[in-house]
Amino acid sequence: VFFPDFTEMMKALGYPRLISMENFRTPNFMLVSEVLLWLVKRYEPQTDIPPDVETEQDRVFFIKAVAQFMATKAHIKLNTKKLYQADGYAVKELLKVTSVLYSAMNTKGMERTEVSEEDSSKFKFDLGSKVADLKAARQLASEITSKGASLYDLLGKEVELREARTESIARPLEINEAEKMMKIAIDNILEQVQKTKDMLNNVALDEANLEARIEKRKLELEISQKRLQTLQSVRPAFMDEYEKIEEELQKQYSSYLEKFHNLSYMEQLLDDHRRTEQEMFEEAANMLHLMQNRLKEEEQNLLKSGNNDDSDVEIQEDEGSDSEGEEKQIMKQRTAMETKVQG
């Protein structure tokens, strides 16, 4: 959809760039954001809308800010979704703002021609000075609305009230009935006055009772304080015995601490002694194991040396007898060594 009036209006309003509808065949968000910011500045130069449109979040914030500004200041409702599309549908929304500015320019008698950059800088809408008037007008409009609603409700009840009013006006005024009603009203008022007086009297009585209770409590407090002072000044009969027992307890506690320290020290010494004995026992066991291994090696060496003698039978028998004697001697030495080690 193309809107040639949009380009003409932008030219008439003094937009510095040439706009063609070909720019909106494809989404062109940069151009739409630039046009929106320019229109907002033309509507109110003092407005502060961030021009950042780099990220998606910045673009959404920019569109929302412009739509909110136009809705509050110019009462123009813009479709944010179409503006974000930045295509031909966005031109429809832009045309709403440009048409308002263009009509305002025509009402002031400006010609529908091209405006140079200097003229466009001079042409401004200054609504900042009329903000107070706008606030006052809004407040008055809200008051008028509330008053109109209440008036509408009252007018709705006018049918029933009119009948009652005409009946009361048409009815003749009776002096006796009026006197009776006045007496009833006077009696009600006198009754209310009497109730008020009774309440005041009751308040006075309650105040006297409270003062009497306060005085009684004060006397009880003084008596209690005096009793407390006497109790604090009197020394109990069992206090001497208590102090003696406390001194003995202190002595017992000090002796207990001393014994506890000694016991801890003796236990530590006992643990050290057991640890040294265990180390000595392990060392002796290691020595015994080494000596046993050494004796086994010597025995094996002796046996090997006994088997390597001459092949003569007699000599072997003699050496066999000698080897037997040597073996016995080795066994004796071994048993003697084991007993020494064990000892």
Side-chain angles (χ1 to χ4, degrees), residues 52-115:
D52 297 332
V53 290
E54 296 293 333
T55 62
E56 182 179 357
Q57 188 176 2
D58 293 337
R59 293 181 178 183
V60 173
F61 181 75
F62 175 81
I63 293 295
K64 286 184 178 180
V66 171
Q68 186 176 3
F69 173 82
M70 286 298 173
T72 54
K73 299 294 183 180
H75 301 285
I76 299 172
K77 187 177 180 181
L78 298 176
N79 192 338
T80 55
K81 189 182 291 185
K82 291 181 179 179
L83 285 174
Y84 191 82
Q85 289 177 2
D87 53 3
Y89 292 99
V91 178
K92 286 184 178 181
E93 305 301 321
L94 294 173
L95 192 60
K96 295 178 182 178
V97 184
T98 53
S99 61
V100 172
L101 294 174
Y102 187 73
S103 61
M105 184 180 67
N106 288 332
T107 55
K108 284 191 175 184
M110 295 185 67
E111 297 180 355
R112 193 176 178 181
T113 57
E114 294 182 359
V115 182

Side-chain angles (χ1 to χ4, degrees), residues 316-326:
Q316 287 178 356
E317 288 177 357
D318 294 336
E319 289 178 354
S321 61
D322 293 335
S323 64
E324 287 178 357
E326 290 177 356

Side-chain angles (χ1 to χ4, degrees), residues 216-232:
K216 186 177 180 181
R217 296 295 182 187
K218 285 182 179 179
L219 292 173
E220 291 178 357
L221 178 62
E222 290 178 359
I223 294 169
S224 300
Q225 287 179 351
K226 290 179 180 178
R227 187 177 297 173
L228 178 62
Q229 291 176 0
T230 54
L231 290 173
Q232 288 177 352

